[in-house]
Amino acid sequence: MEKNGLLANAQKQYEKALKYVKLSPDSKKVLSRPKELIEVSIPVRMDSGKLEVFTGYRVHYNDARGPTKGGIRYHPDVSLDEVEALSFWMTFKCAVVNIPFGGAKGGVIVDPKKLSAKELERLSRGYIDAIYGFIGPDIDIPAPDVYTNEMIMGWMADEYNKISRKLSPAVITGKPLNMGGSEGRGDATGKGAYYVIKEAAKVWKMSPSKTTVAVQGFGNAGYHIAKLLHDDGFRIVALSDSKGGIYSPDGFDPDSIMQAKLQKGTVDGVYCKGTVCDVIRHKKITNGELLELDVDILIPAALENQITEKNASNIKAKVIAEVANGPTSPEADEILEKKKVHIIPDILANAGGVTVSYFEWVQNKQGFYWEKEKVYERLQEIMVREFKNIYEIHLKEKVDLRTAAYILALKRIVAAIEAKGTEEYFRK
Ligand code: NAD
């Protein structure tokens, strides 16, 4: 499926929830388009002396529940449609975990692996120069996403502070610990997904030692979820990154794969250039083959649109935990529902990242920092509570978990939009 339908696809997911929620035409209109968006050109002096101009976006989808929140993606395939879709999902994700934020997203069209560390720093600072007026601790708070990391967040926060001539750590989350980052932010997305998978495993009676797992994408989110499940006794039989995957029925220790990936490849600046294909005894598989493996839990943790109408009927997993945003197309959803595959939707499964980002923002605002245990405890409380809420809606309304999550989020968003009055109210 082409990228240009990503926002439309994202909206199809929420349209299924509409008939279960009483909402005014006003709310529907407000939620049909992003609130505001910006496209910027970022001139960067390359090491060669040449000037390159990169295109960047920032989209605020909806801020009814609070300042908008969402990551910044560096990828050659970034498009406005993709950023809009991701900002739409952020709006619903923040509502699912009931944190006081709306949804936003940012992106720059760039292959960051082709840039030197210095070029990357200039690009990151240039992006902030360009969107400076569009973000702020009480307006819109960026965070990391694909191919951006805590060092990049540090450069961006520093640039914002330089322009404003004051320290505003709450403007960006996912910062290094020594620049006001939160304990537990690094593995928050993985931890959040882990808490949810554990709850789901209880309901579906899956014991770790008898459960096999395949993880697509071995970055921040994918590595941590693989490690947490492995440490808990689940068997991680397949892993992949952008260059391909590995499979072993005996299972892998994600830590040794990460070690090997770091050693075998070169850690060049802020990016690892190794690939999980280069290491230990295994069968090499493609990313496509990984998705179709006969495993209990499949975890897409890379990019959107990995499971589509083309491969959905070949999926053998019993459970799909969407750690990536938007890995399953609406057409694939229909096919998987008929096959009775349980999908733990992205707006719940990967919400741990934004939840701990919220904790970071709170700590920055208070100037009072929490112990790691406190962060995990509060994260677990939220993830378990909202899994249970969604599961209850799933049983009560007889809908899939994705629709149940949208019902829960939509009710919360609509309540905030309609608190200011609706057509019905003003007609009286
Ligand atoms: P990352 O940059 O740390 O890692 C991305 C990984 O995906 C890398 O291992 C890369 O090699 C791999 N990859 C890229 N293209 C691929 C392809 N075509 N097939 C297989 N693997 C591929 O990014 P991340 O932060 O881990 O994000 C991964 C996903 O999780 C994204 O969808 C992102 O939006 C989502 N997510 C991340 C966070 C977070 O806190 N990091 C939070 C919520 C959601």
Side-chain angles (χ1 to χ4, degrees):
M1 207 217 61
E2 277 178 33
K3 276 258 167 84
N4 60 17
L6 214 52
L7 177 62
N9 268 357
Q11 288 175 333
K12 271 186 212 151
Q13 296 178 337
Y14 114 102
E15 279 160 15
K16 280 173 83 177
L18 287 175
K19 69 173 174 178
Y20 302 92
V21 181
K22 191 176 169 295
L23 80 169
S24 70
D26 301 19
S27 294
K28 242 175 147 175
K29 277 181 210 159
V30 168
L31 288 172
S32 67
R33 288 294 306 151
K35 181 187 176 217
E36 52 199 345
L37 51 88
I38 183 170
E39 176 179 322
V40 294
S41 300
I42 312 154
V44 176
R45 183 68 60 195
M46 308 303 278
D47 295 345
S48 65
K50 207 170 130 193
L51 189 83
E52 291 276 359
V53 180
F54 295 90
T55 301
Y57 305 101
R58 186 81 192 160
V59 178
H60 301 167
Y61 200 90
N62 182 274
D63 63 357
R65 289 173 43 84
T68 53
K69 185 94 191 72
I72 297 166
R73 178 172 295 195
Y74 283 178
H75 199 278
D77 296 340
V78 160
S79 67
L80 181 57
D81 175 51
E82 180 186 56
V83 181
E84 285 180 350
L86 289 161
S87 70
F88 175 89
W89 283 316
M90 283 307 298
T91 305
F92 284 80
K93 192 183 304 178
C94 292
V96 159
V97 282
N98 212 4
I99 56 177
F101 289 138
K105 202 79 183 189
V108 177
I109 305 173
V110 58
D111 183 351
K113 292 180 187 174
K114 291 194 177 142
L115 265 51
S116 70
K118 287 175 197 150
E119 290 166 343
L120 202 55
E121 187 197 4
R122 291 195 283 269
L123 173 69
S124 304
R125 290 183 182 278
Y127 178 65
I128 292 302
D129 295 343
I131 65 163
Y132 176 78
F134 210 59
I135 59 171
D138 300 308
I139 303 168
D140 173 30
I141 306 116
D145 190 68
V146 173
Y147 295 145
T148 54
N149 57 19
E150 65 170 40
M151 184 179 264
I152 294 176
M153 294 306 111
W155 292 331
M156 289 183 171
D158 184 55
E159 189 66 15
Y160 186 88
N161 292 338
K162 275 186 180 161
I163 299 170
S164 61
R165 302 191 76 76
K166 61 177 192 241
L167 290 177
S168 306
V171 68
I172 281 173
T173 59
K175 300 180 294 293
L177 211 51
N178 293 319
M179 287 181 71
S182 175
E183 290 284 358
R185 177 61 184 88
D187 61 355
T189 303
K191 271 261 184 222
Y194 170 73
Y195 295 139
V196 169
I197 291 171
K198 285 294 279 180
E199 281 308 299
K202 273 191 224 163
V203 175
W204 296 321
K205 301 196 175 20
M206 302 169 88
S207 85
S209 62
K210 294 194 183 116
T211 303
T212 54
V213 183
V215 182
Q216 184 202 38
F218 200 54
N220 177 310
Y223 161 68
H224 286 294
I225 186 61
K227 177 177 166 49
L228 287 161
L229 289 173
H230 169 267
D231 292 353
D232 196 19
F234 290 77
R235 197 147 37 100
I236 311 299
V237 296
L239 293 166
S240 71
D241 63 14
S242 61
K243 294 175 193 155
I246 48 175
Y247 170 72
S248 163
D250 300 335
F252 298 109
D253 169 5
D255 261 339
S256 63
I257 302 292
M258 185 51 95
Q259 284 299 321
K261 179 172 158 123
L262 291 171
Q263 281 164 13
K264 188 97 182 171
T266 56
V267 181
D268 185 8
V270 290
Y271 286 106
C272 167
K273 285 208 175 148
T275 160
V276 294
C277 300
D278 294 344
V279 296
I280 80 167
R281 268 173 285 127
H282 59 269
K283 187 180 159 208
K284 284 192 185 188
I285 52 170
T286 64
N287 266 295
E289 286 165 345
L290 180 141
L291 298 172
E292 297 179 13
L293 287 173
D294 189 0
V295 290
D296 298 303
I297 304 181
L298 171 64
I299 305 185
L303 297 170
E304 307 87 47
N305 271 325
Q306 298 300 302
I307 307 172
T308 64
E309 73 272 31
K310 289 195 188 118
N311 59 358
S313 50
N314 299 332
I315 301 285
K316 295 172 198 75
K318 297 171 191 71
V319 174
I320 298 176
E322 295 183 330
V323 167
N325 284 304
T328 314
S329 74
E331 296 79 14
D333 254 347
E334 303 285 323
I335 299 168
L336 294 167
E337 205 184 333
K338 285 196 191 112
K339 282 169 63 107
K340 303 218 177 322
V341 177
H342 295 294
I343 301 182
I344 306 176
D346 48 5
I347 56 172
L348 171 68
N350 70 32
V354 75
T355 303
V356 176
S357 270
Y358 164 58
F359 296 162
E360 182 175 332
W361 179 81
V362 169
Q363 293 170 76
N364 291 155
K365 290 219 153 209
Q366 292 184 336
F368 178 71
Y369 289 83
W370 314 347
E371 301 283 318
K372 195 183 255 183
E373 289 65 34
K374 184 52 83 190
V375 171
Y376 290 152
E377 192 187 304
R378 289 182 163 146
L379 173 64
Q380 183 170 19
E381 195 185 309
I382 291 176
M383 299 306 295
V384 171
R385 182 189 70 208
E386 300 307 340
F387 173 80
K388 287 183 174 164
N389 281 335
I390 289 168
Y391 201 77
E392 209 176 293
I393 298 172
H394 153 75
L395 294 180
K396 184 169 166 248
E397 304 289 2
K398 298 186 177 44
V399 292
D400 56 273
L401 289 172
R402 189 188 311 285
T403 307
Y406 274 95
I407 293 173
L408 179 71
L410 191 58
K411 281 186 181 163
R412 290 172 176 165
I413 296 165
V414 163
I417 295 173
E418 299 186 2
K420 286 173 273 183
T422 59
E423 187 180 329
E424 199 182 324
Y425 171 83
F426 287 108
R427 268 205 191 144
K428 275 184 204 161

